């Protein structure tokens, strides 16, 4: 339930500018879908929100406070791969966040606290439909189950902001719809602010309350290094899902933003 | 005719093929031994089976006249004890330093170059220093094993730790983990099976250093006995000892492998 403001953020690696002049405000409880061509800096942007990377210029505020420069429990994350720990069972994976909080020394809970943590984690697994798989290791799960586990693991910490980097890219459409439902339900229940990177426009419009696209405005090869991607359109989406025709119309007319001064 | 790379031997053929090199070596030995003994029955270089058998009984199953010990047992226990202590100490030290070096940038900045340089020091070259410093007793032999294999374990583990997906470390931080908790719950459990692999790979070197140290200064031990027997050209003792050492080394390796499989099932689940 946090607002996020991004103020004129730039990111450069060496001489290459990846992102430039990115500014926007996100209201609490938004579901922001980030889209854009491969390599335009979506993951880089997400990593900056996460605190894994620092903006080269500009700053990011959460609820008016500058963002902590390292990952913290208020920002949960689900990556496309390696989001869960291979050496822990489903239940242990979900419990881990609770154990970190409850046992600073050993990172392992005992006795009553352990039973309570188990209880909470079981409920969480139930929520994402993995109740029956609590003793399985991630390598024994399908891709969709692993991603649902990763969501459960992140949400047990009740993050204010959830960051998803192409979390469902590898899933087939049927399974994907199922995971979407789980995610939307949890989002409604918790009221967290969600940022999701996706390659799939229909997914972006189905889930997002707002769709933001990154792209490069200059495409000549000799300009590729000096100019980065920035926001090229920023659409509020009013659910129920707009008709495809509306979407297409808006897409062809990029909205000029105060950011792109 | 299919390509050679696509042809699989049947189970029976695999077994026969696996046995073939061993059989060939034994056969070659038998033929050569026969040939030498027929020229000179007192030849000691390639003793025949009955001589070897007598030596095995003498060393393994008859108490030594002077000490009342069974020599093979005494040597084996002495050597295994040195090896076990040396390898255990090296595992703990190597594991700790390796994980720190692989995970913590400050530790890497301090240690990475140092361990790469130390790894280049030939351990046998500093054996005299160890004897001078730690005396001729057990300590110097154990230290040689430790010094000999720690650099490898450190470097191997540091590499594997740094190969942990960056995403896992980020994820742990978003779950609220401190550096210490990350080491305890994320890195260490995933590095333990790798540490066992690393130890398995160092066992060959550990035996080498053990036998070298025993050859130079010891009162018992498998390496000591072999080098003692060399003075008498007692091939009938040396050959079974070599065979026994090989068997012990192979068994240790096997035990570690099984232990790893059983203890760290998560590594192997779902890979069928
Ligand atoms: N650590 C880094 N060092 C140097 N360049 C980097 C680094 N990380 C990303 N880049 C560059 O930044 C650009 C954007 O990368 P990023 O991973 O953010 O793209 P993306 O939009 O997520 O692409 P995709 O959709 O394919 O995942 C790329 O050109 C990449 O080469
Ligand atoms: Mg990406």
């Amino acid at each position: 339930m946090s607002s996020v403001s991004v103020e004129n953020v730039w990111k450069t690696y060496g001489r290459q500018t990846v992102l430039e002049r990115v500014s926007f405000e996100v209201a609490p409880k938004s579901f922001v879908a980030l889209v854009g061509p491969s390599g335009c800096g979506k993951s880089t942007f997400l990593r900056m929100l996460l605190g894994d990377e620092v903006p080269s210029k500009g700053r990011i505020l959460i609820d008016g406070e500058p963002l902590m420069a390292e990952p913290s429990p208020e920002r949960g994350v689900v990556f496309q791969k390696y989001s869960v720990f291979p050496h822990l069972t489903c239940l242990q994976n979900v419990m881990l966040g609770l154990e970190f909080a409850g046992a600073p020394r050993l990172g392992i809970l005992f006795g009553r606290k352990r039973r309570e943590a188990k209880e909470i984690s079981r409920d969480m697994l139930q929520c994402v439909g993995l109740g029956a798989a609590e003793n399985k290791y991630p390598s024994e799960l399908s891709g969709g189950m692993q991603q649902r586990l990763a969501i459960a693991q992140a949400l047990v910490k009740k993050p204010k902001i959830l960051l998803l980097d192409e979390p469902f890219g590898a899933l087939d459409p049927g399974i994907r719809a199922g995971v979407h439902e789980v995610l939307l339900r949890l989002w409604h229940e918790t009221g967290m602010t969600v940022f999701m990177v996706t390659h799939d426009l229909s997914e972006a419009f189905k889930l997002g309350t707002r769709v933001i696209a990154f792209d490069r405005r200059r495409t000549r090869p000799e300009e590729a290094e000096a100019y980065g991607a920035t926001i090229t359109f920023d659409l509020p989406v009013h659910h129920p899902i707009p008709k495809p025709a509306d979407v297409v119309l808006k897409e062809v007319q990029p909205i000029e933003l105060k950011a792109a001064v | 005719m299919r390509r050679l790379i696509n042809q699989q031997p049947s189970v029976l053929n695999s077994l026969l093929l696996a046995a073939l090199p061993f059989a060939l070596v034994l056969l070659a030995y038998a033929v050569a031994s026969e040939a030498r003994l027929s020229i000179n029955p007192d030849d000691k270089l390639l003793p025949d089976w009955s001589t070897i058998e007598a030596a095995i009984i003498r060393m393994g199953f008859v108490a030594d006249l002077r000490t009342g010990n069974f020599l093979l047992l005494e040597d084996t226990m002495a050597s295994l004890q040195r090896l076990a202590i040396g390898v255990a100490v090296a595992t703990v030290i190597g594991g700790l330093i390796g994980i720190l070096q692989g995970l913590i940038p400050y530790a890497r900045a301090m240690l990475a170059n140092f361990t790469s340089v130390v790894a280049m020091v030939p351990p046998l070259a500093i054996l005299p220093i160890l004897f001078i410093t730690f005396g001729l007793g057990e300590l110097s032999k154990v230290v040689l094993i430790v010094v000999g294999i720690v650099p490898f374990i450190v470097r191997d583990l540091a590499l594997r730790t740094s190969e942990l997906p960056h995403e896992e470390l980020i994820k742990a931080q978003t779950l609220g983990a401190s550096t210490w908790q990350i080491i305890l719950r994320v890195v260490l459990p995933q590095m333990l099976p790798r540490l066992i692999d690393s130890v398995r790979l160092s066992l060959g070197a550990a035996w080498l250093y053990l036998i070298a140290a025993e050859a130079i200064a010891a009162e018992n031990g498998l390496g000591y006995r072999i080098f003692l027997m060399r003075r008498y050209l007692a091939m009938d003792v040396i050959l079974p000892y070599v065979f026994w050492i090989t068997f012990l080394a192979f068994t240790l390796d096997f035990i570690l492998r099984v232990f790893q499989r059983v203890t760290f099932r998560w590594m192997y689940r779902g890979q069928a």
Side-chain angles (χ1 to χ4, degrees):
Chain A
M1 222 156 339
S2 291
S3 64
V4 175
S5 32
V6 179
E7 296 180 351
N8 193 27
V9 161
W10 293 60
K11 183 70 196 176
T12 51
Y13 287 111
R15 292 167 61 202
Q16 191 197 357
T17 305
V18 176
L19 287 169
E20 60 177 62
R21 290 176 293 144
V22 178
S23 299
F24 59 91
E25 301 267 338
V26 175
K29 203 176 183 322
S30 302
F31 195 128
V32 182
L34 298 169
V35 297
S38 182
C40 72
K42 306 181 295 294
S43 298
T44 304
F45 182 72
L46 220 57
R47 282 210 299 278
M48 289 193 290
L49 280 179
L50 198 52
D52 183 24
E53 288 277 359
V54 193
S56 310
K57 229 196 278 180
R59 57 180 192 160
I60 300 175
L61 305 174
I62 292 181
D63 293 331
E65 298 282 322
L67 180 107
M68 256 212 273
E70 63 175 356
S72 67
E74 65 198 18
R75 285 160 287 162
V77 67
V78 175
F79 297 107
Q80 187 168 6
K81 283 197 311 187
Y82 306 121
S83 271
V84 293
F85 300 102
H87 62 292
L88 301 175
T89 63
C90 287
L91 187 62
Q92 291 168 339
N93 259 296
V94 179
M95 272 174 69
L96 191 62
L98 302 174
E99 295 195 281
F100 285 147
R105 292 264 168 67
L106 286 178
I108 303 173
L109 291 173
F110 296 101
R112 186 175 54 82
K113 282 186 170 175
R114 182 174 193 81
R115 281 195 298 280
E116 284 168 8
K118 253 189 189 155
E119 203 72 9
I120 298 172
S121 308
R122 285 217 174 94
D123 289 347
M124 203 69 225
L125 280 175
Q126 216 79 50
C127 276
V128 298
L130 287 176
E134 65 170 54
N135 289 320
K136 290 196 166 169
Y137 287 97
S139 58
E140 300 170 294
L141 303 179
S142 72
M145 291 162 91
Q146 285 186 21
Q147 291 310 74
R148 278 184 282 155
L149 175 60
I151 292 172
Q153 186 187 40
L155 291 191
V156 84
K157 294 295 281 187
K158 299 197 176 22
K160 293 196 263 180
I161 298 175
L162 182 64
L163 305 166
L164 308 164
D165 194 351
E166 296 182 40
F168 315 126
L171 307 187
D172 78 58
I175 296 176
R176 202 187 277 220
V179 188
H180 284 167
E181 232 163 76
V182 170
L183 179 61
L184 282 179
R185 200 181 66 234
L186 292 169
W187 170 60
H188 276 298
E189 283 170 17
T190 58
M192 59 195 169
T193 305
V194 179
F195 286 83
M196 181 178 75
V197 171
T198 174
H199 270 131
D200 182 346
L201 273 183
S202 67
E203 185 175 74
F205 281 98
K206 175 181 166 193
L207 298 177
T209 57
R210 186 166 169 190
V211 176
I212 294 180
F214 288 165
D215 203 353
R216 290 166 180 276
R217 288 173 177 258
R218 314 249 184 166
T219 49
R220 283 171 36 208
E222 66 273 22
E223 292 175 330
E225 217 181 41
Y227 293 89
T230 188
I231 296 179
T232 52
F233 73 77
D234 181 347
L235 290 178
V237 183
H238 302 291
H239 290 277
I241 311 158
K243 291 192 202 79
D246 302 347
V247 175
V248 172
L249 249 184
K250 282 181 192 160
E251 258 181 83
V252 279
Q253 302 170 340
I255 294 173
E256 282 301 318
L257 283 168
K258 50 186 186 290
V261 187
Chain B
M1 195 65 173
R2 281 190 296 166
R3 288 179 187 81
L4 197 55
I5 56 166
N6 294 325
Q7 295 182 28
Q8 298 286 347
S10 68
V11 178
L12 181 66
N13 280 346
S14 297
L15 284 176
L16 288 176
L17 283 171
L20 186 64
F22 293 104
L24 283 179
V25 169
L26 287 180
L27 185 72
Y29 180 86
V31 170
S33 164
E34 177 88 38
R36 285 188 75 102
L37 288 172
S38 66
I39 297 168
N40 172 12
D42 289 334
D43 183 65
K44 292 192 126 186
L45 197 60
L46 300 177
D48 63 7
W49 301 132
S50 58
T51 320
I52 292 180
E53 204 184 306
I56 293 176
I57 291 172
R58 187 159 25 84
M59 302 303 294
F61 301 99
V62 179
D64 184 50
L65 287 178
R66 193 163 52 83
T67 59
N69 291 336
F70 295 91
L71 285 181
L72 181 64
L73 185 68
E74 186 194 335
D75 290 337
T76 305
M77 295 318 278
S79 288
L80 283 185
Q81 192 185 348
R82 289 164 192 149
L83 191 79
I85 296 175
V87 171
V89 171
T91 305
V92 173
I93 296 178
L96 279 179
I97 301 182
I99 286 178
L100 291 181
Q101 188 181 317
L103 185 68
I104 302 189
Y106 269 93
R108 183 175 319 149
M110 190 172 103
L111 294 172
N113 289 318
F114 183 68
T115 44
S116 328
V117 170
V118 169
M120 293 305 143
V121 176
L124 288 180
I126 59 168
L127 184 54
I129 303 177
L130 297 181
F131 280 141
I132 293 169
T133 318
F134 298 110
L136 297 178
E138 298 299 300
L139 188 58
S140 54
K141 300 176 189 66
V142 170
V143 172
L144 177 67
I145 296 176
V146 173
V147 169
I149 65 178
V150 156
F152 171 80
I153 296 181
V154 168
R155 288 185 357 147
D156 189 45
L157 224 64
L159 191 66
R160 283 161 183 274
T161 303
S162 64
E163 279 169 2
L164 274 178
H166 183 59
E167 285 88 343
E168 280 188 23
L169 300 181
I170 297 293
K171 180 82 185 205
Q173 295 177 60
T174 65
L175 296 178
S178 64
T179 300
W180 171 240
Q181 288 175 321
I182 290 177
I183 293 177
L184 272 190
R185 294 297 315 269
V186 178
V187 180
L188 190 63
Q190 293 193 70
M191 284 305 123
L192 283 180
R194 266 104 206 181
L195 184 59
I196 292 179
D197 276 336
S198 196
V199 169
R200 283 179 60 200
L201 289 175
S202 341
L203 269 184
W207 277 102
L208 167 70
Y209 300 129
L210 172 72
I211 290 173
E214 287 180 344
I216 294 173
E219 274 108 50
N220 53 19
L222 298 165
Y224 161 77
R225 193 69 55 197
I226 290 181
F227 276 81
L228 182 70
M229 290 300 159
R230 186 192 63 106
R231 293 188 207 152
Y232 312 114
L233 283 181
M235 285 290 271
D236 54 342
V237 173
I238 295 177
L239 286 175
Y241 260 71
V242 171
F243 183 83
W244 178 237
I245 292 172
T246 311
F247 175 78
L248 288 176
F250 188 84
T251 309
L252 275 182
D253 185 66
F254 180 78
I255 290 173
L256 283 177
R257 200 172 71 207
V258 171
F259 174 75
Q260 188 207 42
R261 279 233 159 208
V262 173
T263 317
F264 303 102
R265 279 174 310 148
W266 58 266
M267 279 186 81
Y268 300 99
R269 286 269 183 106
Q271 282 181 5

